Amino acid sequence: MQETRLDTTRIRATRRVIDPIFLDTPLYRCEALEPRLGCAVSIKLETANPVRSFKARGTEVIASLLADDGPRAVVCASAGNLGQALAWSGRGRGLDVTVVASRFATVAKLDRIRALGARLELVDGDHEPARERAAAIARYDGIRLVEDSLDIETCEGAATIGLELVDPVPTFDTVLIALGGGALATGVGHVMKALAPEVEVICVQPLGAPAMTRSWHQRRVVTTDSTNTIADGVAGRRPIPAVLDDLLLVADDAVLVQESSITAGMRILLHDAGLVVEPSAALGIAAILEDRDRFAGRHVVTIVCGSNVDVDAYHRWVGAAP
C-alpha cells in the first residue's frame, strides 16, 4: 500500500488492549433481507456491547494509553456515540472525562453520557462548534483532546472490525461502510486493502451531509455550511485533510443516499432482521435500495455501527409510510 497513517501490525496489537466485550462481534448472513434487497447480505453487528456502537474499540486504546502514562483527564467533542464510549472506557480506568456536544444532539445519547459519569458540556450549533469548544478546553486545562478520526487510535480501533471480517477468509465481495469523520471507513478499508484487496470498499453518506464524499470524489477537502440529515453520527461539515488522505487510499467508491432510503433501511432492519438501529447504521442498506442493479447477485457485508436512538424519533421514522 501507499503511505498511510495506519499500520496493520499495530492494528493487530490493538486488539490486546481492547476489552473483549467489544471484540468478535456477531457476523452472520441474514437471509431474511435477501428477497427484498436482491443480493446476499451479511451483517457485522457492532451494537451488542455496553455503549451500543463500535466507538469503544478506539476509546479503549486511548484510555489504556492514558492510564499507563498520560494525563488523567481527557476531553472530546461528540455527536453522542464517541462520548459514551470515552466515558465508559475512562470510567473503568479512573480518568476524568469531559464531553462537549451540541444541545440538539440525540437526548438518549446525552443521557447515557451523563449516566456513565462524564462531565457533559452543551453548545449551540452542530458538531463543529463542539469540536472548537473541546479544543479550547484541552488548551486551557492542559488535558488530552481526543479527536475522532484524526487520532489514529480511533481509526485503528475501528480497524479491528476489519480483522474480524477477513478471518476466516471472506466469502463476501463488497463491504458497505458508513462514512462520517472517517475513522470506521479508513480503519476497515485499510485492513481490506491490506489483507483482502479483492473486496470492494464502498463508503456511504447521507445526501444531507455530503462533505467527506464530495471530498473523496474531488480529491481535496470540500466543506459545507450546514447539514440536513437524521443520521447525526455522520453529519460532519469539515473533513480532516489527513483522514481524507487515508480514505483516498482505501475506498473504491463513496456514494450519497437520500433520507427516505435511510428510514426505509431502518424499517427493513427492524422488520426483517429484528434490529433497532440508528440512522447511520442503516446507510449500507440504503445504498443497496438505491442501486439494486449494482449489487444484484453479489455478497455484501454491511456494518451495523450503532443503535443509540431517541425512542420517539425512531417510531416516527420507522412508522412512516415507505
Side-chain angles (χ1 to χ4, degrees):
M1 292 183 64
Q2 300 177 47
E3 186 174 351
T4 173
R5 298 184 306 142
L6 287 84
D7 179 81
T8 306
T9 300
R10 204 164 56 220
I11 292 166
R12 292 188 186 279
T14 289
R15 285 181 54 87
R16 296 196 289 269
V17 301
I18 298 174
D19 188 321
I21 202 169
F22 299 108
L23 298 174
D24 300 311
T25 52
L27 172 64
Y28 59 95
R29 183 167 170 178
C30 188
E31 294 184 7
L33 295 174
E34 295 173 11
R36 200 186 291 254
L37 298 178
C39 61
V41 180
S42 289
I43 287 173
K44 181 62 168 166
L45 190 63
E46 288 296 307
T47 63
N49 62 58
V51 298
R52 296 191 292 195
S53 84
F54 75 95
K55 294 288 189 180
R57 291 183 184 245
T59 60
E60 283 287 280
V61 182
I62 292 169
S64 295
L65 293 172
L66 293 178
D68 290 341
D69 182 24
R72 305 299 298 180
V74 61
V75 60
C76 76
S78 174
N81 285 348
L82 178 71
Q84 291 180 75
L86 188 60
W88 195 93
S89 297
R91 184 182 65 174
R93 294 169 178 81
L95 304 181
D96 179 16
V97 177
T98 298
V99 178
V100 184
S102 167
R103 66 179 70 257
F104 306 111
T106 301
V107 173
K109 295 180 180 180
L110 300 180
D111 288 345
R112 184 60 177 156
I113 290 169
R114 294 188 186 99
L116 287 167
R119 173 176 172 265
L120 180 64
E121 180 173 325
L122 301 179
V123 299
D124 293 324
D126 60 13
H127 185 61
E128 298 305 331
R131 284 174 62 183
E132 293 168 2
R133 175 57 182 159
I137 291 172
R139 288 193 302 269
Y140 184 82
D141 293 342
I143 63 177
R144 168 69 187 266
L145 171 65
V146 174
E147 293 194 75
D148 199 10
S149 304
L150 179 59
D151 284 7
I152 197 64
E153 297 93 344
T154 63
C155 303
E156 293 186 341
T160 60
I161 297 170
L163 293 179
E164 294 166 17
L165 288 175
V166 299
D167 185 20
V169 176
T171 58
F172 56 90
D173 53 61
T174 308
V175 59
L176 295 168
I177 311 173
L179 179 61
L184 183 62
T186 59
V188 174
H190 174 86
V191 173
M192 291 298 113
K193 292 308 167 192
L195 303 179
E198 71 281 1
V199 174
E200 185 177 21
V201 175
I202 302 176
C203 302
V204 190
Q205 198 166 35
L207 185 62
M212 186 62 100
T213 296
R214 289 180 179 174
S215 299
W216 183 87
H217 282 280
Q218 297 187 34
R219 304 188 71 82
R220 63 178 180 84
V221 170
V222 177
T223 63
T224 60
D225 294 330
S226 62
T227 61
N228 183 22
T229 179
I230 62 173
D232 60 311
V234 293
R237 295 189 286 112
R238 301 174 188 168
I240 299 168
V243 182
L244 175 60
D245 289 343
D246 291 333
L247 187 67
L248 288 169
L249 295 176
V250 300
D252 295 303
D253 199 3
V255 300
L256 298 172
V257 295
Q258 300 178 66
E259 297 295 292
S260 59
S261 300
I262 298 172
T263 54
M266 295 171 70
R267 280 193 298 274
I268 289 171
L269 286 169
L270 174 64
H271 294 302
D272 295 341
L275 297 175
V276 174
V277 305
E278 60 188 81
S280 301
L283 288 170
I285 301 299
I288 300 172
L289 290 172
E290 291 201 4
D291 199 350
R292 294 173 187 272
D293 289 344
R294 176 176 187 172
F295 299 103
R298 301 175 73 171
H299 185 174
V300 176
V301 167
T302 183
I303 300 172
V304 175
C305 54
S307 63
N308 291 295
V309 291
D310 177 82
V311 174
D312 291 336
Y314 180 80
H315 283 302
R316 289 197 303 273
W317 297 328
V318 301

